[in-house]
Amino acid sequence: MTILELAKQTGVTIGSLQEIVLNVGEKVDSEFDPISIDVAELVAMEVGFNVRRLHSDEGAQLKTRPAVVTVMGHVDHGKTSLLDALRQTSVAAKEAGGITQHLGAFVVGMSSGASLTFLDTPGHAAFSAMRARGAAVTDIVVLVVAADDGVMPQTLEAMNHAKVANVPIVVAINKCDKPGADPERVRIQLGSEGLLLEDLGGDVQVVEVSAIKKSGLDRLEEALLLQAEMMDLKARVDGTAQAYVVEARLDRGRGPLATAIVKSGTLLSGQHIVVGAEWGRIRAIRNMVGKVIESAGPAIPVEIEGLKGLPMAGDDVVVVDSEERARMLSNGRKKKLEKDRLHKASEERAESPDTSE
Ligand code: GTP
Ligand code: MG
């Protein structure tokens, strides 16, 4: 990126852009000199633009990676129970004596060596937030439908989310142990909602499970692996990481903690990062059993410690060269957020004049 390109894209004069570049402490001799992506983002934000970083993996060596799976479905249809049951089948969980720390995501390793990464519910909000920011981390949606209750409003909502995001669905008909279970009815309902089930010649796999009885889980995992295989999921492993926040929380002892999923590249402990509008230096990376690890590659959920503030689900994790740069970018993003917020508030005021007095 050069100042000239930035001027073309923003419509702001080269002179003004050069001044901003100088203000953020960068030296450029001419508008043709390359500026770093961080500086470009800062300058663009300064003149009122939202920046989305596009990462090109062109020319990079790609390796097969695990699928990232989100469980969705109607209230009480058993999303949490199903995730808990799946979590217990995880090899890592068995090794840790069944105790996994509660990250917003976990990995299920299969005896074949393949693995699946599950995002915890509540998935809807994070899923939408990420999609809105162009951060599509979910590869496959497991649509949970209770066999006794059938298709309900949020089943359709979830179906729609997946459709709009162009994410394939695998259906898990849950609670098949219940006396009132009628999986056939669920199939017919889903079919009439336009879901092309494999039993009816389509390509959407359907698996009958019971989260409580822990039955059908291996078949569900197989269905997901098959779906992943068909998608031929690959990612760049080497180089700077691109990652997304799935969940963030404040720990009284350890400060802000962000669960993130690496999309491509490798995240390293010690790196300076900007996460959404927050910044920090990675003090520790932990895996799903709480073990400190030095690095994390694609589709691996990790907990990042060392941020100064609490990011939001869907925020991107950007690796930068120095603390100074991290601080600067974070400040720039905060200012931009505040500007947008004020702008939106004033627009809303203009649209609905206060007539209460
Ligand atoms: P929300 O997070 O509130 O939307 O619900 P959820 O979809 O996570 O459902 P949850 O796992 O909390 O399960 C709801 C109820 O259904 C609980 O009482 C579970 O014990 C029960 N349940 C879940 N799975 C099964 C199942 O396979 N069989 C039976 N019989 N009950 C189940
Ligand atoms: Mg739940």
Side-chain angles (χ1 to χ4, degrees), residues 105-289:
F106 63 95
V107 181
V108 172
M110 250 87 32
S111 46
S112 64
S115 61
L116 294 162
T117 299
F118 288 89
L119 296 190
D120 251 357
T121 34
H124 283 240
F127 187 80
S128 306
M130 285 193 215
R131 233 178 50 74
R133 290 168 213 205
V137 287
T138 299
D139 299 305
I140 305 170
V141 163
V142 172
L143 184 62
V144 178
V145 190
D148 57 338
D149 209 18
V151 170
M152 297 297 274
Q154 280 170 55
T155 315
L156 298 178
E157 204 178 287
M159 229 171 94
N160 215 37
H161 270 301
K163 232 175 229 170
V164 172
N166 209 11
V167 176
I169 289 173
V170 170
V171 176
I173 303 182
N174 189 33
K175 306 198 187 185
C176 284
D177 59 288
K178 279 192 140 183
D182 189 353
E184 237 12 82
R185 186 176 70 114
V186 175
R187 283 191 170 82
I188 292 165
Q189 286 177 331
L190 289 172
S192 69
E193 291 297 340
L195 208 59
L196 303 169
L197 306 184
E198 61 178 356
D199 328 29
L200 305 166
D203 53 10
V204 176
Q205 301 181 81
V206 186
V207 185
E208 292 179 18
V209 301
S210 162
I212 294 294
K213 294 264 186 279
K214 298 199 173 52
S215 64
L217 298 182
D218 41 354
R219 260 176 295 133
L220 177 59
E221 289 171 3
E222 271 162 34
L224 291 168
L225 280 183
L226 181 67
Q227 179 63 48
E229 223 166 82
M230 286 191 296
M231 295 166 82
D232 193 23
L233 302 166
K234 288 196 156 83
R236 165 178 63 82
V237 177
D238 299 324
T240 311
Q242 179 198 1
Y244 292 100
V245 174
V246 177
E247 192 184 73
R249 68 188 172 94
L250 199 59
D251 181 274
R252 271 170 72 193
R254 290 153 63 204
L257 300 174
T259 299
I261 294 220
V262 177
K263 181 100 179 157
S264 62
T266 298
L267 194 65
L268 302 171
S269 198
Q271 282 180 325
H272 297 281
I273 51 174
V274 178
V275 183
E278 304 300 335
W279 68 280
R281 179 159 186 261
I282 304 179
R283 197 158 55 222
I285 300 176
R286 283 188 181 77
N287 67 9
M288 61 175 279
V289 291

Side-chain angles (χ1 to χ4, degrees), residues 52-67:
R52 184 184 293 172
R53 289 171 185 244
L54 294 175
H55 297 252
S56 164
D57 291 336
E58 217 174 295
Q61 204 199 348
L62 303 181
K63 288 198 182 132
T64 299
R65 63 166 176 84

Side-chain angles (χ1 to χ4, degrees), residues 20 33 46 52 63 70 84 192 217 239 270 294-295 305 336:
I20 301 171
D33 282 357
E46 199 61 38
R52 184 184 293 172
K63 288 198 182 132
T70 300
D84 285 346
S192 69
L217 298 182
E294 278 313 303
S295 64
E305 183 179 324
K336 178 78 174 73

Side-chain angles (χ1 to χ4, degrees), residues 76 78-81 83 121-122:
D76 270 358
K79 302 175 292 291
T80 304
S81 306
L83 278 164
T121 34

